[in-house]
Amino acid sequence: CSSSLTTIHLACQSLRRGECDAAFVGGVGLMLSPALTINFSKARMLSPAGRCKVFDEAADGYVRGEGAGMVLLKRLADAITDGDQILAVVRGSAINQDGHTSGLTVPNGPAQQAVIRQALADGGVAPHTVGYIEAHGTGTALGDPIEMGALGEVFGERSEPLVVGSVKTNIGHLEAAAGIAG
């Protein structure tokens, strides 16, 4: 799920080290065989309603989707000098391994907290200045609350609301392209 986010992290590191001046990063998620869908259905991971209900009491599983995404990353100063249209700035990034969990659909809350804190520190961003989180949010009754709990621990009590969303509600879970879609 995070492979395309890992490409962003690695590209940012290469840009900062001067190993490259620009990097295309992205991901592709295609369903080329029914095998995974059949197995995920048997494991009751997929929504029987065929709708991804992220962060909803009625969440009953995720919906598989297909898609691809790609972005071009450059150092901000270079993009300004080149007159590029700048759509976003990556202030910080981090990657980690989720560690032991009780299953594929069960995220590790403490590991999520750690990687979020690491990314904020890398970018010099204070948690209270963040206004929106594009979450993983798959629409599972177990995984989504764990993710929201991790976000609550990192971002805590706030005077301004923290808006949390997930594109999966609209396009499904693109698996290997999930991160770039978000």
Side-chain angles (χ1 to χ4, degrees):
C1 302
S2 63
S3 58
S4 56
L5 292 177
T6 299
T7 67
I8 292 171
H9 173 73
L10 295 173
C12 287
Q13 285 185 329
S14 290
L15 285 162
R16 287 182 184 134
R17 287 194 296 252
E19 297 170 345
C20 64
D21 293 321
F24 279 107
V25 297
V28 177
L30 298 174
M31 294 181 273
L32 301 175
S33 162
L36 280 178
T37 301
I38 291 167
N39 288 328
F40 290 166
S41 182
K42 286 179 180 178
R44 298 178 186 220
M45 294 166 54
L46 302 180
S47 168
R51 295 200 54 229
C52 189
K53 302 174 207 117
V54 176
F55 307 122
D56 188 315
E57 273 186 17
D60 59 1
Y62 83 95
V63 175
R64 297 187 77 206
E66 292 184 307
M70 185 165 284
V71 296
L72 173 64
L73 300 180
K74 294 173 84 173
R75 286 180 289 278
L76 181 58
D78 294 343
I80 292 169
T81 299
D82 295 344
D84 295 336
Q85 181 182 13
I86 300 167
L87 301 175
V89 175
V90 178
R91 298 216 182 275
S93 65
I95 57 175
N96 72 354
Q97 205 280 339
D98 208 28
H100 177 74
T101 67
S102 60
L104 179 63
T105 62
V106 184
N108 181 323
Q112 287 186 345
Q113 291 174 42
V115 76
I116 294 166
R117 286 188 173 106
Q118 190 177 10
L120 290 168
D122 183 59
V125 176
H128 73 276
T129 65
V130 175
Y132 177 78
I133 299 285
E134 176 62 28
H136 185 57
T138 57
T140 60
L142 183 57
D144 286 2
I146 293 171
E147 183 175 10
M148 288 302 288
L151 292 172
E153 287 295 321
V154 173
F155 293 96
E157 294 293 321
R158 306 164 55 91
S159 58
E160 296 293 320
L162 176 64
V163 179
V164 179
S166 174
V167 72
K168 290 174 190 71
T169 295
N170 299 313
I171 63 173
H173 190 328
L174 304 189
E175 296 165 357
I180 199 70

